[in-house]
Amino acid sequence: SAVISQKPSRDICQRGTSLTIQCQVDSQVTMMFWYRQQPGQSLTLIATANQGSEATYESGFVIDKFPISRPNLTFSTLTVSNMSPEDSSIYLCSGSGLKNTDTQYFGPGTRLTVL
Amino acid sequence: RKEVEQDPGPFNVPEGATVAFNCTYSNSASQSFFWYRQDCRKEPKLLMSVYSSGNEDGRFTAQLNRASQYISLLIRDSKLSDSATYLCVVNLRTGNQFYFGTGTSLTVIP
């Protein structure tokens, strides 16, 4: 299985600021995704990170609020912009397409608290 | 209608018990199926893939019923360490769309 790292692992931020989360995969993947998971809830897909082009966002998520980059196959960033307390959540990145499988592997998550 | 539906539980079972979870999916074009395990404050981790022929890994057995569009997970001889949330995941391989259930919470009691 892939090793996926994220940083920061957690942060506490002030309302109105922005935070960029980094995701690094140790081997090439075809797909990378960003999810949000609020306490006691399941995962909600924010977007699919596309290499070298704009991410594909799910309904309810927009690029201005969650800009995403994926400059190469193994690295992606998610920015949570102009944060409000409602953005407090765990943000998870995942990768799939390793070794011709369609299984997803997840990073350890970033726990964000917005005051 | 949600793409994937699970009974959220919680399931509280004694050690040694057998417990089964079901998950239904709405899209008959779904192509691959998985069970993930998520411990509190941790990321989801793949438990097992689910094949039409069934899949067994030690105390865990997963089954797929395409006609009825559900998958199941059976845990035999439950251990305390099995306590976690179990997520059902369905992949429409077209576009690589993954759909997650809300998870079923299991607590194994001494």
Side-chain angles (χ1 to χ4, degrees), chain B residues 6 8 15 18 22 26 39 55 59 65-67 90 94-95 105 108-109:
Chain B
Q6 288 182 253
E15 271 187 288
T18 296
N22 284 333
S26 61
D39 292 287
N55 189 21
R59 298 181 293 107
N65 185 317
R66 285 192 180 271
V90 173
T94 304
S105 173
V108 180
I109 304 165

Side-chain angles (χ1 to χ4, degrees), chain B:
Chain B
R1 183 181 175 186
K2 292 182 180 178
E3 292 285 346
V4 179
E5 298 206 52
Q6 288 182 253
D7 180 350
F11 285 72
N12 300 314
V13 302
E15 271 187 288
T18 296
V19 61
F21 309 136
N22 284 333
C23 164
T24 59
Y25 60 95
S26 61
N27 194 324
S28 60
S30 301
Q31 298 201 25
S32 31
F33 310 87
F34 309 90
W35 284 102
Y36 279 74
R37 169 192 172 131
Q38 186 172 27
D39 292 287
C40 186
R41 294 178 172 263
K42 299 287 188 181
E43 74 275 20
K45 293 186 177 177
L46 178 66
L47 179 64
M48 58 199 310
S49 303
V50 189
Y51 307 118
S52 297
S53 56
N55 189 21
E56 184 171 323
D57 182 4
R59 298 181 293 107
F60 298 83
T61 301
Q63 295 279 353
L64 166 64
N65 185 317
R66 285 192 180 271
S68 301
Q69 294 183 201
Y70 77 83
I71 68 174
S72 64
L73 178 67
L74 182 76
I75 305 175
R76 291 180 297 278
D77 188 22
S78 299
K79 311 292 185 190
L80 296 177
S81 57
D82 294 333
S83 298
T85 297
Y86 291 83
L87 298 165
C88 169
V89 182
V90 173
N91 183 13
L92 294 177
R93 195 168 294 160
T94 304
N96 235 353
Q97 297 169 280
F98 291 87
Y99 295 96
F100 285 78
T102 53
T104 298
S105 173
L106 171 67
T107 302
V108 180
I109 304 165

